[in-house]
Amino acid sequence: MDVRSLPADSFTESDRARIDFAHKLAVLAVEAENVLATLCTDEAVSGDYAVQAAVVQALALHGVVAAAVTAERVRGTSWECIGKPFHLDAEEAETKWGPKAGEWRSRTKVQSDLVRNPGQYLDYVDRHLATGATATRSKERRKLSSVIDAAASVTGRDVAAADRAFAGQEVCSHCHR
């Protein structure tokens, strides 16, 4: 199955959140690999290491964390559970990430390429998992596409029902709620 050809509306909100999080992690991994490659050459000029580290930090702090929080909220995870690993209480976590998560959820196909073409992002992640550094460490080498709900368009599963299944679901191994 070519995930790039799946219709955008066959992906649940949870699918898109997981794809966004995975895509940001894959981009971060590629950037980290670029920093390693720079360290292995004699061609770096003054400031190159700092610039590359700043890019990696920005991706990690803003993109990856926000995507993880959004994916957790889409799953129905409480702000308390999300905040705990960051040493934040529920109110602090919601204040810090709530607006971003709400903004992410309200994006339209006009505003977001991910909403318009989730299969393209999923394909990027699958290719990275198959060829990136994680491929050599993974025994299963499972694709992200094998574990998301986008197969609804192929299997006849109800995408709306899959979205509703995540709404209000409270799952947190840290908080035991």
Side-chain angles (χ1 to χ4, degrees), residues 101-137:
E103 181 183 299
W104 184 92
R105 289 181 106 164
S106 66
R107 294 184 304 177
T108 67
K109 288 182 179 181
V110 172
Q111 298 165 319
S112 169
D113 193 46
L114 173 68
V115 175
R116 194 171 37 258
N117 300 306
Q120 297 288 343
Y121 286 77
L122 180 56
D123 181 62
Y124 177 87
V125 172
D126 280 350
R127 283 186 290 113
H128 182 78
L129 287 170
T131 61
T134 56
T136 58
R137 286 181 268 149

Short mmCIF file of all heavy atoms in Angstrom, two decimals, residues 101-137:
data_model
loop_
_atom_site.label_atom_id
_atom_site.label_comp_id
_atom_site.label_asym_id
_atom_site.label_seq_id
_atom_site.Cartn_x
_atom_site.Cartn_y
_atom_site.Cartn_z
N ALA A 101 -1.37 23.32 21.30
CA ALA A 101 -2.17 22.12 21.03
C ALA A 101 -3.51 22.51 20.41
O ALA A 101 -3.96 21.87 19.46
CB ALA A 101 -2.37 21.31 22.31
N GLY A 102 -4.12 23.55 20.93
CA GLY A 102 -5.39 24.01 20.37
C GLY A 102 -5.23 24.53 18.95
O GLY A 102 -6.06 24.26 18.08
N GLU A 103 -4.15 25.26 18.72
CA GLU A 103 -3.85 25.78 17.38
C GLU A 103 -3.63 24.63 16.41
O GLU A 103 -4.12 24.65 15.28
CB GLU A 103 -2.59 26.65 17.48
CG GLU A 103 -2.14 27.29 16.21
CD GLU A 103 -0.85 28.07 16.46
OE1 GLU A 103 -0.87 29.01 17.27
OE2 GLU A 103 0.17 27.71 15.84
N TRP A 104 -2.90 23.60 16.84
CA TRP A 104 -2.62 22.45 15.98
C TRP A 104 -3.93 21.77 15.59
O TRP A 104 -4.14 21.44 14.43
CB TRP A 104 -1.72 21.46 16.71
CG TRP A 104 -1.31 20.30 15.85
CD1 TRP A 104 -0.19 20.23 15.08
CD2 TRP A 104 -2.03 19.08 15.64
NE1 TRP A 104 -0.16 19.02 14.41
CE2 TRP A 104 -1.28 18.30 14.74
CE3 TRP A 104 -3.22 18.56 16.12
CZ2 TRP A 104 -1.68 17.04 14.32
CZ3 TRP A 104 -3.63 17.31 15.70
CH2 TRP A 104 -2.86 16.56 14.81
N ARG A 105 -4.81 21.58 16.56
CA ARG A 105 -6.06 20.87 16.30
C ARG A 105 -7.00 21.64 15.39
O ARG A 105 -7.83 21.04 14.72
CB ARG A 105 -6.77 20.56 17.62
CG ARG A 105 -6.05 19.51 18.42
CD ARG A 105 -6.78 19.21 19.69
NE ARG A 105 -7.42 17.92 19.54
CZ ARG A 105 -7.88 17.23 20.55
NH1 ARG A 105 -7.79 17.68 21.77
NH2 ARG A 105 -8.45 16.05 20.34
N SER A 106 -6.86 22.95 15.33
CA SER A 106 -7.79 23.74 14.52
C SER A 106 -7.26 24.04 13.11
O SER A 106 -7.93 24.70 12.33
CB SER A 106 -8.11 25.05 15.24
OG SER A 106 -6.95 25.86 15.34
N ARG A 107 -6.06 23.56 12.79
CA ARG A 107 -5.50 23.81 11.46
C ARG A 107 -6.35 23.16 10.38
O ARG A 107 -6.90 22.08 10.57
CB ARG A 107 -4.07 23.30 11.35
CG ARG A 107 -3.10 24.04 12.22
CD ARG A 107 -1.69 23.57 12.03
NE ARG A 107 -1.59 22.12 12.25
CZ ARG A 107 -0.49 21.43 12.10
NH1 ARG A 107 0.62 22.02 11.71
NH2 ARG A 107 -0.46 20.14 12.32
N THR A 108 -6.40 23.82 9.24
CA THR A 108 -7.17 23.31 8.11
C THR A 108 -6.22 22.88 7.00
O THR A 108 -5.01 23.13 7.06
CB THR A 108 -8.11 24.40 7.57
OG1 THR A 108 -7.32 25.45 7.01
CG2 THR A 108 -9.03 24.95 8.66
N LYS A 109 -6.77 22.31 5.94
CA LYS A 109 -5.96 21.90 4.79
C LYS A 109 -5.29 23.10 4.13
O LYS A 109 -4.21 22.97 3.55
CB LYS A 109 -6.82 21.16 3.77
CG LYS A 109 -7.22 19.78 4.23
CD LYS A 109 -8.04 19.06 3.17
CE LYS A 109 -8.42 17.68 3.64
NZ LYS A 109 -9.18 16.94 2.64
N VAL A 110 -5.91 24.25 4.23
CA VAL A 110 -5.31 25.46 3.65
C VAL A 110 -4.11 25.90 4.47
O VAL A 110 -3.10 26.34 3.92
CB VAL A 110 -6.36 26.61 3.58
CG1 VAL A 110 -5.73 27.91 3.16
CG2 VAL A 110 -7.51 26.22 2.65
N GLN A 111 -4.17 25.74 5.77
CA GLN A 111 -3.11 26.21 6.67
C GLN A 111 -1.98 25.21 6.87
O GLN A 111 -0.90 25.59 7.30
CB GLN A 111 -3.71 26.53 8.05
CG GLN A 111 -4.74 27.62 8.03
CD GLN A 111 -5.54 27.64 9.33
OE1 GLN A 111 -5.91 26.60 9.86
NE2 GLN A 111 -5.80 28.84 9.81
N SER A 112 -2.22 23.95 6.62
CA SER A 112 -1.25 22.93 7.00
C SER A 112 -1.06 21.88 5.91
O SER A 112 -2.01 21.20 5.52
CB SER A 112 -1.72 22.25 8.28
OG SER A 112 -0.95 21.10 8.54
N ASP A 113 0.17 21.72 5.50
CA ASP A 113 0.49 20.69 4.54
C ASP A 113 0.30 19.30 5.15
O ASP A 113 -0.08 18.36 4.46
CB ASP A 113 1.92 20.86 4.03
CG ASP A 113 2.20 20.01 2.81
OD1 ASP A 113 1.35 20.00 1.88
OD2 ASP A 113 3.25 19.34 2.77
N LEU A 114 0.52 19.18 6.46
CA LEU A 114 0.31 17.89 7.13
C LEU A 114 -1.17 17.48 7.05
O LEU A 114 -1.47 16.32 6.79
CB LEU A 114 0.74 17.96 8.59
CG LEU A 114 0.42 16.72 9.43
CD1 LEU A 114 1.25 15.53 8.98
CD2 LEU A 114 0.61 16.99 10.89
N VAL A 115 -2.07 18.42 7.24
CA VAL A 115 -3.50 18.11 7.15
C VAL A 115 -3.88 17.79 5.70
O VAL A 115 -4.66 16.89 5.43
CB VAL A 115 -4.36 19.28 7.69
CG1 VAL A 115 -5.84 19.03 7.50
CG2 VAL A 115 -4.04 19.52 9.17
N ARG A 116 -3.28 18.50 4.78
CA ARG A 116 -3.56 18.31 3.35
C ARG A 116 -2.96 17.01 2.82
O ARG A 116 -3.57 16.32 2.02
CB ARG A 116 -3.01 19.52 2.59
CG ARG A 116 -3.48 19.69 1.19
CD ARG A 116 -3.08 21.04 0.55
NE ARG A 116 -1.77 21.56 0.89
CZ ARG A 116 -1.55 22.55 1.77
NH1 ARG A 116 -2.54 23.12 2.41
NH2 ARG A 116 -0.33 22.98 2.01
N ASN A 117 -1.75 16.67 3.26
CA ASN A 117 -1.02 15.51 2.72
C ASN A 117 -0.39 14.65 3.82
O ASN A 117 0.83 14.46 3.83
CB ASN A 117 0.10 15.99 1.79
CG ASN A 117 -0.39 16.79 0.63
OD1 ASN A 117 -1.25 16.33 -0.11
ND2 ASN A 117 0.13 17.98 0.45
N PRO A 118 -1.16 14.09 4.73
CA PRO A 118 -0.55 13.30 5.81
C PRO A 118 0.23 12.10 5.30
O PRO A 118 1.24 11.71 5.89
CB PRO A 118 -1.73 12.88 6.68
CG PRO A 118 -2.94 13.05 5.81
CD PRO A 118 -2.62 14.12 4.83
N GLY A 119 -0.18 11.53 4.19
CA GLY A 119 0.52 10.38 3.64
C GLY A 119 1.95 10.69 3.23
O GLY A 119 2.83 9.84 3.33
N GLN A 120 2.19 11.91 2.76
CA GLN A 120 3.56 12.32 2.39
C GLN A 120 4.47 12.32 3.62
O GLN A 120 5.61 11.86 3.56
CB GLN A 120 3.55 13.72 1.76
CG GLN A 120 2.78 13.82 0.48
CD GLN A 120 3.47 13.14 -0.68
OE1 GLN A 120 4.65 12.84 -0.64
NE2 GLN A 120 2.72 12.88 -1.72
N TYR A 121 3.95 12.85 4.73
CA TYR A 121 4.73 12.90 5.96
C TYR A 121 4.95 11.49 6.51
O TYR A 121 6.03 11.15 6.98
CB TYR A 121 4.02 13.78 7.00
CG TYR A 121 4.13 15.25 6.69
CD1 TYR A 121 3.35 15.83 5.70
CD2 TYR A 121 5.03 16.04 7.37
CE1 TYR A 121 3.45 17.18 5.40
CE2 TYR A 121 5.15 17.40 7.08
CZ TYR A 121 4.36 17.95 6.10
OH TYR A 121 4.47 19.29 5.81
N LEU A 122 3.91 10.67 6.42
CA LEU A 122 4.01 9.29 6.87
C LEU A 122 5.04 8.53 6.05
O LEU A 122 5.85 7.77 6.60
CB LEU A 122 2.64 8.61 6.78
CG LEU A 122 2.54 7.16 7.21
CD1 LEU A 122 3.04 6.97 8.64
CD2 LEU A 122 1.11 6.68 7.07
N ASP A 123 5.07 8.74 4.76
CA ASP A 123 6.04 8.10 3.89
C ASP A 123 7.46 8.51 4.28
O ASP A 123 8.36 7.67 4.33
CB ASP A 123 5.76 8.46 2.43
CG ASP A 123 6.73 7.78 1.49
OD1 ASP A 123 6.74 6.54 1.45
OD2 ASP A 123 7.47 8.51 0.78
N TYR A 124 7.68 9.79 4.59
CA TYR A 124 8.99 10.27 5.02
C TYR A 124 9.44 9.53 6.28
O TYR A 124 10.58 9.06 6.38
CB TYR A 124 8.95 11.78 5.26
CG TYR A 124 10.26 12.35 5.77
CD1 TYR A 124 11.24 12.76 4.88
CD2 TYR A 124 10.50 12.49 7.13
CE1 TYR A 124 12.45 13.29 5.34
CE2 TYR A 124 11.69 13.00 7.60
CZ TYR A 124 12.67 13.40 6.69
OH TYR A 124 13.86 13.91 7.16
N VAL A 125 8.53 9.42 7.25
CA VAL A 125 8.86 8.74 8.50
C VAL A 125 9.17 7.27 8.24
O VAL A 125 10.16 6.74 8.73
CB VAL A 125 7.72 8.89 9.53
CG1 VAL A 125 7.98 8.03 10.76
CG2 VAL A 125 7.55 10.35 9.93
N ASP A 126 8.33 6.61 7.46
CA ASP A 126 8.57 5.20 7.14
C ASP A 126 9.92 5.01 6.46
O ASP A 126 10.66 4.08 6.79
CB ASP A 126 7.46 4.65 6.25
CG ASP A 126 6.20 4.29 7.01
OD1 ASP A 126 6.22 4.27 8.26
OD2 ASP A 126 5.18 4.00 6.34
N ARG A 127 10.24 5.88 5.51
CA ARG A 127 11.53 5.76 4.83
C ARG A 127 12.68 5.99 5.81
O ARG A 127 13.70 5.30 5.76
CB ARG A 127 11.62 6.71 3.64
CG ARG A 127 10.84 6.21 2.43
CD ARG A 127 11.00 7.05 1.18
NE ARG A 127 10.33 8.35 1.34
CZ ARG A 127 10.95 9.52 1.40
NH1 ARG A 127 12.25 9.60 1.27
NH2 ARG A 127 10.27 10.63 1.55
N HIS A 128 12.53 6.96 6.71
CA HIS A 128 13.58 7.22 7.70
C HIS A 128 13.75 6.01 8.62
O HIS A 128 14.87 5.61 8.94
CB HIS A 128 13.27 8.47 8.52
CG HIS A 128 14.36 8.78 9.50
ND1 HIS A 128 15.53 9.38 9.15
CD2 HIS A 128 14.45 8.51 10.82
CE1 HIS A 128 16.31 9.49 10.21
NE2 HIS A 128 15.67 8.97 11.24
N LEU A 129 12.64 5.42 9.04
CA LEU A 129 12.72 4.25 9.91
C LEU A 129 13.41 3.08 9.21
O LEU A 129 14.09 2.28 9.85
CB LEU A 129 11.32 3.83 10.37
CG LEU A 129 10.67 4.74 11.40
CD1 LEU A 129 9.22 4.37 11.59
CD2 LEU A 129 11.42 4.72 12.72
N ALA A 130 13.24 2.99 7.92
CA ALA A 130 13.83 1.89 7.16
C ALA A 130 15.30 2.12 6.82
O ALA A 130 16.05 1.16 6.64
CB ALA A 130 13.04 1.66 5.87
N THR A 131 15.71 3.38 6.75
CA THR A 131 17.06 3.67 6.28
C THR A 131 17.92 4.45 7.27
O THR A 131 19.13 4.45 7.15
CB THR A 131 17.03 4.47 4.96
OG1 THR A 131 16.37 5.72 5.20
CG2 THR A 131 16.33 3.69 3.87
N GLY A 132 17.30 5.11 8.23
CA GLY A 132 18.05 5.94 9.18
C GLY A 132 18.75 5.09 10.22
O GLY A 132 18.76 3.86 10.17
N ALA A 133 19.33 5.78 11.19
CA ALA A 133 20.08 5.09 12.23
C ALA A 133 19.22 4.10 13.00
O ALA A 133 19.72 3.07 13.46
CB ALA A 133 20.67 6.12 13.19
N THR A 134 17.92 4.38 13.12
CA THR A 134 17.05 3.47 13.87
C THR A 134 16.88 2.14 13.17
O THR A 134 16.61 1.13 13.82
CB THR A 134 15.66 4.10 14.09
OG1 THR A 134 15.12 4.46 12.83
CG2 THR A 134 15.73 5.29 15.00
N ALA A 135 17.05 2.09 11.86
CA ALA A 135 16.87 0.84 11.12
C ALA A 135 17.87 -0.22 11.55
O ALA A 135 17.54 -1.40 11.61
CB ALA A 135 16.98 1.09 9.62
N THR A 136 19.07 0.18 11.87
CA THR A 136 20.09 -0.79 12.25
C THR A 136 19.89 -1.30 13.67
O THR A 136 20.41 -2.33 14.03
CB THR A 136 21.50 -0.19 12.11
OG1 THR A 136 21.58 0.98 12.94
CG2 THR A 136 21.80 0.16 10.68
N ARG A 137 19.13 -0.56 14.48
CA ARG A 137 18.91 -0.96 15.86
C ARG A 137 17.58 -1.69 16.07
O ARG A 137 17.34 -2.23 17.12
CB ARG A 137 18.95 0.26 16.78
CG ARG A 137 20.37 0.76 16.96
CD ARG A 137 20.39 1.94 17.87
NE ARG A 137 20.28 3.11 17.00
CZ ARG A 137 19.70 4.23 17.34
NH1 ARG A 137 19.16 4.38 18.49
NH2 ARG A 137 19.66 5.24 16.50
#
